[in-house]
Amino acid sequence: MDNRDPLSNPGYLVRILSMVLSAGLLAVLIAAVVDLGDEPTGLTARVMEQIDQSGVSHPPTAVLLNFRAYDTWLEVAVLLLAAWGALALRQATRLPEQPQATSAGPVLDWLVRLLVPLLIVTGVYLLWLGTNAPGGAFQAGAVIGAALVLLRLSGYRSVGLLDALWLRGSLLAGFAGFLLIATVLFLAGWTFLEYPPDQAGLLIVIIELLITWTVAVSFVALFVAARPDPDDLNTESEGGHG
Amino acid sequence: MIEAAIWVILIPLICGLAAFAIGGRTSRLLGLIGAGLTTIAAFLLVAEVWVNGVWEYSLGGWEAPLGISLRADGLSTFMIAMTAVVGLGISLYAVRYFALTPGPSPDPSAPLRTGAGRGEKSQATWLPSESYWPLWMLLWASLNALFLSSDIFNLYVGLELLTLASVALIILERERASIIAGLRYLLAAFLGSMAYLLGVALLYAEAGVLDLQLLADAELTGTAVQVAGGLMAVGLLLKAALFPMHFWLPAAHSSAPAPVSAALSALVVKAAFYLLIRLWFEVFEPASSIAVEQVIGVLGATAIILGSFQAIRQARLKMMIAYSTVAQVGYLFVMIPLAGSFGDPQDVWRFEAWTGGLYHALSHGFAKASMFLAAGVILSSLGHDRVWNLAGSAARFPVIYLSFGIAGMSLMGLPPSAGFVGKWLMLTSAVESAQWWWAVILLVGGLLTAGYVAIVLSQALQRDVEIDREPDPIPRIMTLSVFGLAVLSMLLGLRAAEPLEFLEIGAPFQTLITTVEE
């Protein structure tokens, strides 16, 4: 990196200044935390009161996908923007395959064959678990995304199989699913982002499925786009077509 | 009831998503449809709030504090309407702008190769013109979502969406300067978001609710609340680029494509400003103090003076306009000591200062959008925007420079512009509250603004100058949107009574007509 860049090679003054600032922030935060009341505040009790109507039985899932579904929806849009921006910067319309790694030995091969199915099963299990225990779309997406990254790193075909249209669709799926369900129900006369109580569970599972896939592909997209050498990416994209 | 407020968020999201999914030339059409429909929805909302007063909505049928509420009072709707008109102007301009500038040439020294732009794959590359529309729609949606949200955590999500859309738009043309500026902006804005989020966590721990109205009703005080307020304020000041936290702004705003620069300066910094004053005067009012407010005012005053001087010194037009934004943001924050705890709750001049600051934000929105769009025309037509080489170019595009002059008058605060109304209200308030020092700053700032506007116009208006290159013709729609925005920044000064009355709806102050609202 550029040595003249003050951020990568800060002088003493910058170091001392940032130390003083950090210490000051710490002191202020400690003062604030000490000042906080002893009684627990928060909305846990209210969540438990209403959870029967949410369609799921795990409180965080009820909060994320029903009570505060609006937050989650916008977060999915944040994820979409991040992946989209990274791919646009790299001018990548697909996620190219890694050329067959020369160092991939039998041990790696064996490990990948063992781990990937395990990761996929774990991911789907986490997704299914989300309705009544810790788990859910984001965790499941992260695990499946990790499986895809592992496949790609060890030279197997994976996300490179998605053509430009499918990649686009995968990145958009979570956000679009939310948008479609919310808009259709809104036009049908429901409150915006309200689920009909008897279908709430089903709709939440559909949305979670879509978000899982979007999260997984977005993670791989960010991973691929973060490669330091853009030339590498472009030559691969030629290969990916062949 | 058509719930126009829901549609001002939904329409740009739907059009943006469709533009993402379909891409190609259709995205431009979808963007234009989105801009038109969102503007219509925004004015339906204005009508609704004007007739029925404050509008409230519990998303998903879950009432606060469990769920998230949307709320449109005079202030929110005012910002949404401003965004709609400025956004429509920018959209009309952008239709032709990206046709004029086909994006970066395949320069071998460019840091990032346009490798996919060959052969049959040229269909599938990321052209700035195609990526612009979905990103711009998402930016617009996030602005409206931010203005409507009544939940401090949801506002954080809105800020994140806004930041990422802005960064993606800044780096749209993938030029080295804009990528560096975009990354700096990203880091600065994330630092701001983190500070804000830390404040949200503290506030939630203290009060147990996230809803703005419930927080305001709780009348919070104490160390933890002050720390939370301080963190949130610093985070938002960083995003609003108040001196000395403006370091990221000039490069980011000037290196972006013109329609993006206009949106960033006219709208995006206003979103952080909006959120700050909403928190300051509604949630943190009891925890605030005269000393802190005066410090904010001093930072604002410094921004006015130093930002204007920097603007005068700039050699490039877009940099000059970006520094002008730094200075104009200063005015917005001089409002804080004027409307703050210096006076008693029943003093009407506090409300005058508050509306003055907001009217200044409105006038700056129109004027600055017009100026950046004008600079975009000059840059793409002349091939450069060096201030000292503009000599005689007014003969080539007189309407563009006329618009620049009109917008400049509004920034200076000359009557009868909207800028004059805003400044006049703030001046009155400074005199009535006996805080005369702010009045001096407001007047000196106007003179300095006249300085840099005059530099540009005096260069452009020189006669009998040989121009080394015949400038390219400008599409009429671009000239029209530049002119329209400038004229609006003037006309809104002639017709200020209704917008000012509109701001009283749900205002957190003792006003002439309404009673004090908690």
Side-chain angles (χ1 to χ4, degrees):
Chain A
M1 282 291 135
D2 190 353
N3 282 329
R4 287 166 304 164
D5 187 353
L7 289 176
S8 59
N9 191 10
Y12 275 108
L13 200 66
V14 176
R15 286 175 204 222
I16 291 171
L17 195 70
S18 49
M19 257 166 63
V20 170
L21 277 177
S22 310
L25 181 64
L26 184 69
V28 167
L29 283 178
I30 289 174
V33 171
V34 167
D35 180 63
L36 287 176
D38 292 333
E39 313 145 45
T41 55
L43 299 166
T44 320
R46 284 176 197 269
V47 172
M48 297 319 285
E49 273 169 35
Q50 304 279 343
I51 196 159
D52 293 343
Q53 282 130 58
S54 72
V56 291
S57 59
H58 183 53
T61 308
V63 171
L64 287 176
L65 271 304
N66 199 335
F67 303 145
R68 297 181 65 92
Y70 184 52
D71 274 346
T72 310
W73 182 34
L74 294 183
E75 286 289 6
V76 177
V78 170
L79 197 64
L80 166 67
L81 274 178
W84 198 273
L87 290 179
L89 191 61
R90 285 287 186 230
Q91 297 277 293
T93 49
R94 324 181 21 154
L95 300 176
E97 302 286 353
Q98 187 96 335
Q100 191 69 44
T102 46
S103 63
V107 178
L108 177 65
D109 218 43
W110 174 80
L111 195 66
V112 170
R113 281 164 196 273
L114 179 75
L115 276 179
V116 168
L118 204 63
L119 282 171
I120 290 173
V121 170
T122 313
V124 175
Y125 176 68
L126 276 174
L127 175 65
W128 171 78
L129 202 63
T131 51
N132 49 34
F138 286 88
Q139 292 88 330
V143 172
I144 292 175
L148 294 174
V149 168
L150 189 63
L151 275 178
R152 188 174 178 282
L153 277 180
S154 42
Y156 287 90
R157 308 194 71 187
S158 58
V159 281
L161 294 169
L162 297 172
D163 65 16
L165 199 65
W166 273 96
L167 177 62
R168 217 173 249 236
S170 302
L171 294 178
L172 292 171
F175 183 72
F178 236 127
L179 181 70
L180 197 69
I181 289 174
T183 310
V184 168
L185 287 173
F186 181 52
L187 287 174
W190 294 86
T191 304
F192 190 55
L193 288 171
E194 181 181 15
Y195 309 110
D198 37 331
Q199 268 114 52
L202 176 70
L203 290 175
I204 287 177
V205 168
I206 293 175
I207 289 174
E208 285 215 280
L209 263 174
L210 292 171
I211 292 180
T212 305
W213 183 239
T214 297
V215 167
V217 177
S218 303
F219 279 4
V220 186
L222 288 172
F223 177 81
V224 174
R227 303 256 331 189
D229 185 8
D231 286 335
D232 182 33
L233 193 82
N234 284 317
T235 47
E236 280 169 40
S237 110
E238 307 284 73
H241 257 262
Chain B
M1 192 65 91
I2 48 161
E3 310 292 13
I6 303 288
W7 289 106
V8 299
I9 302 173
L10 256 185
I11 292 168
L13 283 181
I14 293 173
C15 292
L17 184 80
F20 266 136
I22 299 169
R25 293 189 142 267
T26 322
S27 63
R28 190 169 74 179
L29 181 68
L30 287 165
L32 268 185
I33 292 172
L37 291 178
T38 311
T39 308
I40 293 171
F43 279 92
L44 287 175
L45 176 65
V46 169
E48 219 169 282
V49 173
W50 183 255
V51 175
N52 301 329
V54 178
W55 172 91
E56 276 168 324
Y57 195 84
S58 299
L59 287 170
W62 305 108
E63 281 185 19
L66 182 64
I68 299 169
S69 293
L70 298 183
R71 192 165 185 276
D73 57 5
L75 171 58
S76 295
T77 315
F78 182 81
M79 300 301 287
I80 289 170
M82 169 180 111
T83 305
V85 181
V86 174
L88 187 64
I90 291 174
S91 303
L92 291 174
Y93 178 93
V95 170
R96 297 303 299 275
Y97 176 83
F98 286 105
L100 287 185
T101 50
S105 51
D107 175 9
S109 65
L112 296 158
R113 285 178 42 195
T114 50
R118 275 166 281 162
E120 40 127 24
K121 273 190 289 173
S122 61
Q123 286 288 310
T125 48
W126 301 75
L127 295 172
S129 52
E130 285 176 27
S131 292
Y132 171 76
W133 292 101
L135 292 171
W136 164 228
M137 283 294 111
L138 251 67
L139 181 85
W140 197 335
S142 63
L143 283 168
N144 285 345
L146 203 107
F147 294 139
L148 284 171
S149 178
S150 178
D151 181 286
I152 54 173
F153 181 78
N154 183 253
L155 283 162
Y156 161 76
V157 182
L159 282 173
E160 290 294 59
L161 202 57
L162 186 64
T163 301
L164 277 176
S166 305
V167 172
L169 282 167
I170 290 171
I171 62 174
L172 204 59
E173 287 180 340
R174 301 170 59 252
E175 275 158 16
R176 193 179 171 78
S178 62
I179 290 175
I180 293 172
L183 190 63
R184 287 239 161 99
Y185 173 63
L186 181 71
L187 294 175
F190 265 131
L191 191 63
S193 297
M194 287 303 116
Y196 177 85
L197 188 61
L198 208 52
V200 171
L202 273 175
L203 213 52
Y204 180 64
E206 175 75 19
V209 289
L210 292 164
D211 186 76
L212 274 176
Q213 293 307 305
L214 297 174
L215 287 168
D217 292 346
E219 305 234 342
L220 300 162
T221 49
T223 314
V225 175
Q226 282 172 339
V227 172
L231 285 166
M232 291 165 100
V234 169
L236 291 170
L237 290 177
L238 188 55
K239 283 173 179 284
L242 178 64
F243 175 88
M245 287 166 276
H246 67 286
F247 54 89
W248 55 268
L249 186 144
H253 284 198
S254 66
S255 64
V260 178
S261 306
L264 292 174
S265 258
L267 305 173
V268 175
V269 290
K270 302 291 171 12
F273 164 73
Y274 155 85
L275 184 49
L276 186 83
I277 59 160
R278 186 167 283 287
L279 288 168
W280 196 290
F281 293 113
E282 291 176 27
V283 176
F284 294 113
E285 172 88 271
S288 175
S289 69
I290 294 180
V292 177
E293 285 161 2
Q294 295 288 321
V295 168
I296 301 277
V298 168
L299 293 181
T302 320
I304 294 174
I305 306 294
L306 289 184
S308 302
F309 268 121
Q310 284 287 338
I312 291 173
R313 286 184 52 219
Q314 293 308 309
R316 286 190 45 223
L317 183 58
K318 283 188 87 177
M319 279 300 266
M320 174 189 279
I321 302 172
Y323 269 108
S324 155
T325 299
V326 173
Q328 299 293 321
V329 163
Y331 282 102
L332 303 179
F333 287 100
V334 167
M335 175 255 263
I336 295 226
L338 290 174
S341 33
F342 197 83
D344 295 322
Q346 70 275 14
D347 285 328
V348 173
W349 50 259
R350 293 180 62 187
F351 175 69
E352 280 176 3
W354 186 75
T355 46
L358 290 170
Y359 220 73
H360 192 274
L362 178 78
S363 95
H364 177 249
F366 284 97
K368 191 49 64 75
S370 174
M371 278 185 161
F372 260 126
L373 297 182
V377 169
I378 293 165
L379 178 62
S380 63
S381 182
L382 291 181
H384 74 84
D385 69 339
R386 293 183 299 276
V387 174
W388 300 105
N389 290 20
L390 293 176
S393 54
R396 302 288 166 181
F397 9 81
V399 182
I400 296 291
Y401 279 107
L402 176 65
S403 314
F404 192 91
I406 296 174
M409 279 170 67
S410 195
L411 286 191
M412 286 177 234
L414 293 185
S417 66
F420 168 73
V421 175
K423 213 173 257 184
W424 176 257
L425 285 164
M426 281 163 67
L427 274 174
T428 320
S429 163
V431 172
E432 284 175 24
S433 66
Q435 301 186 70
W436 52 267
W437 48 95
W438 303 125
V440 175
I441 293 290
L442 291 171
L443 294 172
V444 172
L447 286 178
L448 290 173
T449 309
Y452 56 80
V453 174
I455 289 176
V456 175
L457 291 183
S458 66
Q459 280 296 312
L461 288 170
Q462 282 180 36
R463 282 193 198 190
D464 307 325
V465 183
E466 285 294 313
I467 293 187
D468 42 341
R469 171 163 105 86
E470 189 67 18
D472 304 329
I474 313 155
R476 190 170 300 157
I477 187 82
M478 289 171 72
T479 312
L480 269 178
S481 45
V482 171
F483 186 63
L485 287 169
V487 167
L488 277 173
S489 80
M490 186 59 64
L491 289 184
L492 281 165
L494 294 173
R495 200 68 211 208
E498 285 86 357
L500 291 177
E501 199 184 325
F502 191 76
L503 277 172
E504 291 186 17
I505 301 170
F509 288 96
Q510 174 92 50
T511 63
L512 294 170
I513 297 166
T514 57
T515 49
V516 69
E517 199 180 333
E518 289 303 321

